[in-house]
């Protein structure tokens, strides 16, 4: 089994009436790539995994088979905020401190 095998992708896609072709168009990737994700032949990158989850309105845990519940996600966090959180988590401690300093400076800026 691949590290990011999307064992519930097909089920989530079909239950929403979405074809592989439509999903591939929405994500701007080849239909063959979607097929590869569904059968575990290839693994999506984390940004693609997030795009799929957002488009299908399911959690990444559901797509990966870690949970069985595909109840749509309700969140007041935007995609931009999610990306910021993801990027922040991947920074080293010094860069996190630098970024927090920069954010503080931006907040205090009078423009």
């Amino acid at each position: 089994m691949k590290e990011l095998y999307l064992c519930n992708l097909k089920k989530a896609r079909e239950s929403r009436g979405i074809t592989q072709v439509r999903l591939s168009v929405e994500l701007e990737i080849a239909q063959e790539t979607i097929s590869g994700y569904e059968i575990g032949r290839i693994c999506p990158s984390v940004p693609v995994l997030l795009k799929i989850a957002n488009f299908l309105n399911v959690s990444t845990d559901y797509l990966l088979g870690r949970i069985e519940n595909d109840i749509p996600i309700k969140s007041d966090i935007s995609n931009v905020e999610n990306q910021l959180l993801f990027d922040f988590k991947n920074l080293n401690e010094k860069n996190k401190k630098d970024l927090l300093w920069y954010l503080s400076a931006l907040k205090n800026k009078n423009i």
Side-chain angles (χ1 to χ4, degrees), residues 6 8-10 12-14 16-35 37-38 48-57 63:
L6 303 183
N8 286 326
L9 174 57
K10 183 176 182 177
R13 180 181 56 73
E14 288 179 344
R16 287 154 177 77
I18 296 170
T19 65
Q20 286 184 351
V21 172
R22 177 166 175 223
L23 184 58
S24 70
V25 168
E26 292 291 335
L27 300 176
E28 299 178 338
I29 58 179
Q31 178 271 326
E32 292 81 8
T33 302
I34 300 297
S35 175
Y37 295 159
E38 290 184 355
V48 171
L49 175 63
L50 292 172
K51 283 181 182 181
I52 293 169
N54 286 337
F55 181 74
L56 295 175
N57 197 23
L63 289 173

Side-chain angles (χ1 to χ4, degrees), residues 101-111:
W101 177 88
Y102 183 71
L103 286 170
S104 177
L106 284 175
K107 285 191 315 190
N108 294 326
K109 194 174 181 181
N110 292 326
I111 295 182

Side-chain angles (χ1 to χ4, degrees), residues 48-84:
V48 171
L49 175 63
L50 292 172
K51 283 181 182 181
I52 293 169
N54 286 337
F55 181 74
L56 295 175
N57 197 23
V58 297
S59 72
T60 55
D61 280 343
Y62 175 73
L63 289 173
L64 294 168
R66 296 184 52 179
I67 61 172
E68 305 232 353
N69 187 343
D70 75 337
I71 293 174
I73 299 170
K74 293 181 177 137
S75 174
D76 60 350
I77 297 177
S78 72
N79 288 341
V80 171
E81 291 167 323
N82 275 327
Q83 186 64 49
L84 284 170

